[in-house]
Amino acid sequence: MISAPLLRLTKITKSFGAVRALKGVSFELNSGEVHALLGENGAGKSTLIKVITGAHKPDGGTLEIAGSQVSDLTPTRARELGIACIYQQPALFAELSVAENIGLRLECGATFGCVNWKKLHANALRLLKQIGAEIDPEALVRSLSMPQQQLVEIACALGSGAKTVIMDEPTASLTRTEQELLFGVVHTLKASGAGIVYISHRLEEIFALADRVTVLRDGESISTQAVRDPEGVVLISETELISLMVGRPVSALYPPKAKVTGEPVLELCAVGCKESGVEEVSLTVHAGEVLGLAGLVGAGRTELARIIFGITPADSGTMALNGAQVRVLSPRHAVELGIGYVPEDRRRHGLIMQMPIDQNMTMAVHPKIFPNSLLNFRAETAIGVHFIEKLGIKASGPAALGGSLSGGNQQKVSLARWLATQPSLLILDEPTQGVDVGAKSEIHRLIRELANEGMGVLLISSDLPEVLGLSDRIAVMRGGRLVDTLDSTQATATSVMAAALRSA
Amino acid sequence: MKRYSRELTVAIALSALLVWLAIFAPHFFQPQPLLARLTAQVPVLVLTIGMSVVIISRQIDISVGSQFGVCAVVAGLTSAAGAPLSLALIAATLTGTAMGALNGFLVAWLGLPSIVVSLATMVTWAEVLRLFQQGRFINLPAGVQWFGFSQFVGQASLLFFALGLLGAMAYFLKNRTGGRHFYAVGSDSEAARLAGINPKGVTMLSFVLMGTLTGLAAFCNMVQSPQVDPKCGVGLEMKAIAAAVVGGIAVTGGRGGLWGAFFGLLLLATINPALTYMHIDAYWEKAIQGLVILLAVIADGLRTKRSAA
Amino acid sequence: MNALPAPTKRHWVRHETLLLLMLFAETTYFFYFARNFGTADNISNIVRHSAEMGLLALAMMPVILTGGIDLSVGSLMGLCAVIFGVLTHDWHWTTLQAVAATLLAGLFAGGFNAALIAFLRLPPLIVTLGTFSLYRGLAEATTQGTKIYRSFDPDFLNLGDQHFFALPIQAWIFALGALFFWVLVHRTTLGRSFRAIGFSPEGTLYAGIPVERRTAMPYVLAGLTAAIAALLFTARLHQARADAGTGYELAAITAVVLGGTSIFGGIGSVHGTLFGIAAIAVLNNGIARVPGVLKAGVGGELASMLTGALLLIALAAPILTRFITRGRATQT
């Protein structure tokens, strides 16, 4: 082919504060090609997509679309240039009908500012038929299931006539039959000369669909290779891809593992919750143990944590804490029972950004340190000072606002809140996400210390070396179920990744 | 049809009430009083149209009652000074538009919550009016009431006008892209922005439209009587909001339509005379209005919860 | 994009200082230019006439602090006044029984708002708009819109007329209320959780605080306070009537917002609210005594109008200053 590629990115870099999300990524997409993008959680895939769709402006590197360099891309401009993206979370108007959503997105179905409902419906019906989805164009998006909404998104992308279509884990919420529909769309698009950037954690899909694959790791493009040769012979193996994705040496700097573990702190037996899609999870966390919970985003790990913490109470199975049967009905209840939870989303859940850090630290221990409900500012400040020293939090003082701290220090404040409760079980959800290297190893050391003091720790992390380096045992989740439990002495990055990826 | 189930429920409740009245209080349907009753609702209907647009855009405007009073006095003074009716109409709508634009500016561009903004403008305009007019009625010249025609012609033309406006606005909201943008912004203003709509502009427009319609409503009110009561707008915002909410326009934005609001208004407007015929005091009107609003919002809340689960 | 500059403590302290200065200027102006403004009689008058609105504003403060609003308190005052009238006149209850029952009714009505808002999670604005209409409507229906209950137990009326240690009794009740709400908001874990909920209901839930119960509480207290205000109103006017407290919810919200409480929740102080109440009370009383206004007899209107305008300015000022400072920040 002589014509310029649809998309060419050269040495793209992008940082968020101190975190370097992209450290020089090069990527190319040709017409009529399905180019898979592969990488662990946090490898930089989402950031890369946002650069391509104009949502993020890169700090460095060049971006060429159809052979000409584009310097200031905005979402609108990207759309005009024929780039469409199907996000994991559909961005549709919930209160409007399917046909209208498609119409608004494609700016069609209207003549001289007058909505032609017939044409709008016909157009929606045609697009939905084309992808083979049986969705009533008149239905409200609010009434659709998640996979159905995803199909509407796909129909929008198809209808937009885009030359470059980005699919970000499009099958994550789709059932088997809907997947088939999607694959059909991919082939149609490909045949029409469009290029597709395909992101998926399901390796089988990549082998079935992709022409080329680029592996990202830690914000860098590690390798780009053809999936098959012109004769259709597969050129690369599943294991090779996995080792490319995880190919980081496990740091030797992790603290030593537990020597002895105590009684079970948490015992889950076939726990499930329909609302959050977790099914029949059984696991045990012992005192003094760090149990790593690995899996991909959307595997149900955070959902499991939310069940244990009582945000979405379990509707099946049993749970025991320190040997006693319990049903945790609310976070308040969980705190009383001695469960602590450092959530994944610091900004929304972990801290109240507009409040001082000492007030954030005491939030979960109000009844304990303020009997009679009366605040004692001296005691509060003392707690603040204590944890600032103990955890080495860099802040101007206990009265500094949560939002004024760096990510790592915010994480320590969030941790301090739960340490103050002296829980017997501590759940940590992505504790080092968006945290700089120095703070990261401090947090690692701290986690081990806590376990050594007799706490049971459930560590959810997408950072494989972290899970391997820190955990005593590793449980792997996939699709809302617990699929494997490995001993850390035997587990390797490849075996954990393989368990997390293995197709159902 | 499932989509219109909410409107249907209100229409059925209205029909049931009407059937009940037809059986037990056939006087209700005597043409003269019925026509008078319907005409009296024209200003509220015009306000309800504007309020519906504002609520669909996920905002609220509780200053329309005060605005209505100001516009009525402006129109009344213009007429009393001997100006032709058309000039009074223009004066009222311009005044309303300006007041709506102020609300719109504060909400859309300064990002202030519409409830507090309109609360403040509600007090301000009401007091400006009180200060200026001191509660004095304005006596209108002879040619103003019923446009100088007979009562019947006046009533009929007002009704035709109101229904025409309702039809046109319903068509606009349903079938023009400009109308759909109110729904898009009310449903999800971020998604609307991504789809190339300007949410600030749309919000602004909804308040401006509300203001213009308030002026129009005040004019429709003026031509029905020989004088203008400067307190004529008191409580009207509640009636308009109640009609919209009862008619299925969700306060969470993006949902509902004008015909539903129309049925809601008719239902609320029929309750009062129905009470009289049931020998219940008319003083219950406000309580029942409140109860109906609560029922509507509870029903909407439960519906959303169910469909989200 | 959505990283609003975190409001610092200093930010609202500054607001309150500003308000205090304004209050001082206002008082000084009236002291020199308004007729009989500075007399002891008039000062006790100011307190007597603004105690009810002030109490409502104090109760409104925690509601707004949680990010909610309660439009029904004025109407509830009317309903409670009527209940008190009915109990003492038609049902011949003793004053003490009637007072207790009225307070209970206020609690119950506040609890109804709270149940719909906190447990059914309906929008506070529309719920209290509904009960705004419902409570006033019940009051009007009971009195047929016209009936006014007069003649009460003289001991009860003392509440409205008598002085205690040189101050009107209302002043003591108001002071007690102010102390209660100040301690509640600034010195208890409950107040702390109201603030946290105002900033982030989800974040508060994740800290193990029972968000639903905590959200409900300010509405219940507002109901109780409305009942107390209704009793004071009745004692002051010697009348129990359905239109008691009409428009008081607006004045209360104005005082709270003027006092620096953010309408989005989280930020604010009870002492700020006290300054807000004082500013409005002084304005209402003083402006009517300025000779020109006194002659025209338009004090009430002018005061309310200025209050509305003040509310708009109080709302817009922080946002406008942020716009200006941000504009400067991007330029440099």
Side-chain angles (χ1 to χ4, degrees):
Chain A
M1 275 224 185
I2 307 154
S3 66
L6 289 171
L7 199 64
R8 178 186 283 150
L9 287 81
T10 326
K11 301 220 171 85
I12 295 284
T13 57
K14 174 77 191 168
S15 301
F16 298 99
V19 183
R20 291 174 67 199
L22 298 179
K23 304 176 193 164
V25 173
S26 299
F27 183 77
E28 210 179 75
L29 180 70
N30 290 324
S31 166
E33 172 191 49
V34 177
H35 195 150
L37 203 53
L38 204 60
E40 280 182 276
N41 304 330
K45 289 168 302 187
S46 320
T47 316
L48 188 64
I49 294 168
K50 285 186 175 150
V51 167
I52 300 174
T53 56
H56 285 336
K57 202 173 147 45
D59 300 332
T62 57
L63 175 65
E64 282 170 51
I65 297 173
S68 52
Q69 194 171 330
V70 184
S71 58
D72 50 345
L73 197 64
T74 60
T76 329
R77 183 106 180 79
R79 233 182 358 179
E80 286 163 8
L81 289 169
I83 296 171
C85 181
I86 302 166
Y87 291 104
Q88 274 167 282
Q89 291 290 322
L92 298 169
F93 299 101
E95 303 291 348
L96 305 185
S97 75
V98 170
E100 224 184 327
N101 266 284
I102 295 176
L104 272 169
R105 190 71 73 80
L106 305 182
E107 288 165 20
C108 74
T111 34
F112 302 116
C114 181
V115 182
N116 185 339
W117 288 98
K118 247 188 209 153
K119 201 172 137 198
L120 200 64
H121 284 149
N123 191 34
L125 203 61
R126 182 178 58 79
L127 286 172
L128 291 169
K129 269 240 174 74
Q130 203 173 333
I131 64 168
E134 279 172 28
I135 298 173
D136 177 10
E138 283 189 61
L140 291 187
V141 163
R142 183 160 49 93
S143 68
L144 298 187
S145 67
M146 208 54 179
Q148 282 177 318
Q149 293 191 20
Q150 195 85 50
L151 290 177
V152 174
E153 282 271 352
I154 293 167
C156 284
L158 187 69
S160 70
K163 295 306 278 177
T164 303
V165 180
I166 302 163
M167 298 186 173
D168 188 1
E169 295 203 47
T171 55
S173 64
L174 298 188
T175 63
R176 205 90 199 155
T177 42
E178 288 154 352
Q179 268 181 46
E180 299 295 327
L181 296 182
L182 177 77
F183 291 177
V185 173
V186 170
H187 287 303
T188 318
L189 283 170
K190 199 174 146 174
S192 72
I196 293 138
V197 181
Y198 194 90
I199 294 155
S200 176
H201 282 305
R202 302 188 184 176
L203 293 179
E204 48 156 10
E205 285 174 14
I206 286 168
F207 284 104
L209 284 177
D211 301 301
R212 283 197 290 171
V213 58
T214 291
V215 177
L216 287 188
R217 190 204 307 150
D218 296 334
E220 282 175 285
S221 39
I222 296 300
S223 101
T224 299
Q225 37 191 300
V227 173
R228 65 194 76 229
D229 67 7
E231 269 83 62
V233 179
V234 177
L235 296 174
I236 187 166
S237 77
E238 203 165 305
T239 1
E240 272 175 84
L241 279 179
I242 290 175
S243 64
L244 278 173
M245 283 164 71
V246 299
R248 232 173 330 170
V250 174
S251 152
L253 296 173
Y254 285 96
K257 311 243 160 160
K259 293 180 189 75
V260 281
T261 55
E263 295 292 303
V265 174
L266 173 78
E267 290 161 281
L268 298 182
C269 184
V271 162
C273 173
K274 276 210 191 78
E275 193 188 326
S276 54
V278 172
E279 289 170 66
E280 294 188 14
V281 171
S282 303
L283 58 78
T284 309
V285 183
H286 299 90
E289 176 189 48
V290 177
L291 178 71
L293 195 55
L296 300 167
V297 168
R301 297 169 305 164
T302 297
E303 287 74 10
L304 181 65
R306 287 161 53 94
I307 291 172
I308 300 171
F309 195 61
I311 293 166
T312 49
D315 47 28
S316 60
T318 57
M319 174 169 159
L321 209 66
N322 296 315
Q325 288 277 337
V326 288
R327 251 178 79 72
V328 185
L329 296 172
S330 69
R332 162 72 145 203
H333 193 193
V335 174
E336 281 164 6
L337 291 168
I339 303 174
Y341 176 42
V342 178
E344 181 183 7
D345 191 338
R346 265 196 310 274
R347 300 208 137 259
R348 278 177 57 209
H349 302 143
L351 285 186
I352 294 188
M353 292 293 167
Q354 304 95 323
M355 283 172 66
I357 54 179
D358 58 348
Q359 297 188 8
N360 266 299
M361 287 175 188
T362 56
M363 269 182 91
V365 285
H366 279 171
K368 219 184 275 177
I369 60 165
F370 305 130
N372 316 322
S373 297
L374 285 179
L375 297 177
N376 176 346
F377 292 115
R378 202 171 293 164
E380 187 160 64
T381 313
I383 288 177
V385 171
H386 170 75
F387 281 110
I388 286 175
E389 278 172 15
K390 184 174 176 194
L391 306 186
I393 296 170
K394 288 185 195 79
S396 56
L401 297 185
S404 69
L405 271 55
S406 72
N409 286 302
Q410 284 176 358
Q411 194 65 46
K412 286 183 189 170
V413 174
S414 182
L415 200 59
R417 171 191 288 172
W418 295 107
L419 296 188
T421 68
Q422 298 173 312
S424 51
L425 173 71
L426 183 63
I427 308 168
L428 302 165
D429 199 346
E430 304 287 1
T432 59
Q433 204 176 61
V435 166
D436 60 280
V437 184
K440 201 167 169 174
S441 67
E442 277 178 62
I443 291 175
H444 289 159
R445 183 179 49 79
L446 203 72
I447 292 172
R448 179 49 68 190
E449 271 177 29
L450 292 172
N452 288 344
E453 284 165 21
M455 210 178 275
V457 178
L458 184 62
L459 171 73
I460 299 172
S461 175
S462 295
D463 185 344
L464 264 184
E466 178 175 283
V467 174
L468 290 166
L470 212 54
S471 315
D472 300 307
R473 286 184 306 135
I474 298 164
V476 185
M477 284 189 79
R478 191 183 60 224
R481 288 168 179 275
L482 197 75
V483 287
D484 213 344
T485 308
L486 309 158
D487 199 278
S488 72
T489 48
Q490 294 147 14
T492 61
T494 321
S495 66
V496 172
M497 203 54 167
L501 287 173
R502 201 178 300 139
S503 27
Chain B
M1 271 300 93
K2 206 174 150 198
R3 195 172 168 180
Y4 298 105
S5 63
R6 181 54 205 275
E7 280 84 351
L8 224 56
T9 320
V10 181
I12 289 169
L14 177 64
S15 323
L17 194 59
L18 290 177
V19 168
W20 188 90
L21 281 170
I23 296 167
F24 294 99
H27 325 290
F28 180 81
F29 293 96
Q30 278 172 358
Q32 249 315 308
L34 186 64
L35 188 62
R37 232 178 245 129
L38 281 172
T39 325
Q41 292 299 326
V42 164
V44 192
L45 174 60
V46 176
L47 284 182
T48 304
I49 293 171
M51 189 63 80
S52 303
V53 175
V54 169
I55 298 180
I56 286 169
S57 318
R58 206 189 295 188
Q59 302 293 348
I60 198 143
D61 187 347
I62 57 172
S63 70
V64 292
S66 301
Q67 291 186 20
F68 185 92
V70 173
C71 293
V73 166
V74 167
L77 289 177
T78 318
S79 301
L85 265 179
S86 55
L87 209 62
L89 174 65
I90 291 170
T93 44
L94 280 184
T95 313
T97 309
M99 289 188 288
L102 176 68
N103 280 342
F105 168 75
L106 292 168
V107 173
W109 264 277
L110 293 192
L112 296 171
S114 52
I115 172 69
V116 190
V117 165
S118 55
L119 191 66
T121 51
M122 170 188 186
V123 181
T124 311
W125 298 135
E127 299 301 334
V128 166
L129 186 62
R130 235 165 35 130
L131 198 61
F132 181 76
Q133 198 58 26
Q134 303 280 317
R136 288 185 303 264
F137 280 50
I138 300 166
N139 289 312
L140 297 170
V144 173
Q145 195 182 11
W146 308 123
F147 310 100
F149 302 121
S150 73
Q151 180 174 349
F152 177 76
V153 173
Q155 288 176 330
S157 48
L158 270 182
L159 267 185
F160 272 119
F161 163 73
L163 290 176
L165 183 72
L166 175 72
M169 281 302 294
Y171 171 81
F172 170 73
L173 279 181
K174 180 93 181 48
N175 291 317
R176 302 291 297 191
T177 42
R180 301 315 291 173
H181 286 179
F182 291 113
Y183 284 88
V185 169
S187 179
D188 189 335
S189 80
E190 183 55 25
R193 204 178 59 77
L194 289 176
I197 299 168
N198 173 8
K200 282 183 182 176
V202 172
T203 307
M204 178 80 194
L205 190 63
S206 71
F207 280 98
V208 172
L209 190 67
M210 174 86 252
T212 311
L213 288 174
T214 308
L216 207 54
F219 180 79
C220 292
N221 188 54
M222 178 180 79
V223 295
Q224 294 189 40
S225 62
Q227 25 180 224
V228 172
D229 174 1
K231 286 206 214 79
C232 59
V234 174
L236 279 185
E237 68 282 346
M238 282 298 297
K239 289 195 171 154
I241 294 169
V245 171
V246 169
I249 293 180
V251 282
T252 44
R255 199 189 325 161
L258 278 191
W259 292 108
F262 178 58
F263 290 135
L265 173 64
L266 286 184
L267 179 65
L268 287 170
T270 317
I271 286 177
N272 206 26
L275 288 179
T276 326
Y277 287 113
M278 278 186 244
H279 303 292
I280 298 173
D281 295 317
Y283 298 112
W284 282 96
E285 186 193 7
K286 216 181 244 175
I288 290 176
Q289 181 179 296
L291 207 59
V292 174
I293 294 180
L294 286 176
L295 283 177
V297 72
I298 291 171
D300 280 347
L302 295 179
R303 262 161 62 102
T304 329
K305 212 170 253 179
R306 214 184 312 134
S307 70
Chain C
M1 227 356 244
N2 48 7
L4 287 171
T8 59
K9 252 184 184 166
R10 219 185 283 140
H11 180 84
W12 54 265
V13 168
R14 215 190 306 144
H15 181 104
E16 281 140 27
T17 325
L18 218 69
L19 187 62
L20 202 61
L21 280 176
M22 204 195 77
L23 183 60
F24 182 74
E26 187 188 33
T27 317
T28 319
Y29 174 82
F30 288 139
F31 193 80
Y32 286 108
F33 294 100
R35 203 160 296 166
N36 298 330
F37 176 77
T39 60
D41 251 14
N42 187 46
I43 289 169
S44 98
N45 220 347
I46 295 179
V47 175
R48 285 185 54 216
H49 280 92
S50 45
E52 296 126 31
M53 181 279 282
L55 282 171
L56 290 188
L58 286 171
M60 184 73 75
M61 194 269 163
V63 172
I64 296 183
L65 195 62
T66 61
I69 198 151
D70 189 345
L71 300 175
S72 74
V73 286
S75 299
L76 184 54
M77 250 182 92
L79 180 59
C80 286
V82 168
I83 289 175
F84 183 70
V86 169
L87 292 180
T88 46
H89 286 71
D90 302 344
W91 293 21
H92 306 293
W93 286 22
T94 66
T95 302
L96 212 60
Q97 286 170 332
V99 165
T102 306
L103 295 181
L104 216 64
L107 267 181
F108 186 78
F112 182 62
N113 282 336
L116 294 181
I117 292 163
F119 299 105
L120 287 186
R121 301 200 186 161
L122 299 175
L125 170 67
I126 199 79
V127 166
T128 56
L129 200 62
T131 50
F132 164 86
S133 193
L134 176 65
Y135 295 157
R136 181 75 67 199
L138 287 175
E140 286 177 2
T142 314
T143 58
Q144 309 283 297
T146 50
K147 191 168 177 189
I148 294 171
Y149 297 92
R150 293 166 214 272
S151 80
F152 292 93
D153 186 344
D155 284 339
F156 172 75
L157 294 178
N158 281 346
L159 263 182
D161 306 331
Q162 291 303 306
H163 284 58
F164 181 71
F165 281 112
L167 285 176
I169 290 179
Q170 284 107 325
W172 293 103
I173 294 177
F174 177 74
L176 221 63
L179 187 68
F180 172 79
F181 280 107
W182 191 85
V183 170
L184 177 73
V185 169
H186 295 285
R187 284 293 179 269
T188 70
T189 54
L190 296 166
R192 178 67 63 72
S193 36
F194 299 158
R195 199 178 289 279
I197 290 168
F199 281 130
S200 162
E202 262 194 314
T204 313
L205 180 74
Y206 273 79
I209 288 170
V211 170
E212 290 178 355
R213 261 184 288 159
R214 293 284 191 274
T215 310
M217 195 179 169
Y219 293 95
V220 178
L221 282 177
L224 179 65
T225 310
I228 296 172
L231 293 174
L232 289 184
F233 184 92
T234 308
R236 175 164 64 91
L237 293 184
H238 298 203
Q239 294 178 343
R241 46 199 291 174
D243 65 353
T246 304
Y248 276 37
E249 65 282 337
L250 303 188
I253 293 168
T254 308
V256 173
V257 175
L258 200 60
T261 302
S262 161
I263 197 72
F264 301 105
I267 303 169
S269 69
V270 173
H271 34 283
T273 303
L274 287 174
F275 299 153
I277 295 166
I280 291 175
V282 168
L283 184 71
N284 266 313
N285 178 281
I287 209 156
R289 289 164 186 276
V290 172
V293 182
L294 187 62
K295 214 161 149 200
V298 291
E301 292 88 339
L302 207 57
S304 307
M305 191 186 93
L306 286 175
T307 313
L310 263 176
L311 176 58
L312 273 183
I313 294 166
L315 275 171
I319 294 177
L320 283 175
T321 41
R322 200 194 299 155
F323 267 122
I324 293 162
T325 47
R326 195 190 287 164
R328 227 177 264 152
T330 46
Q331 271 164 26
T332 49

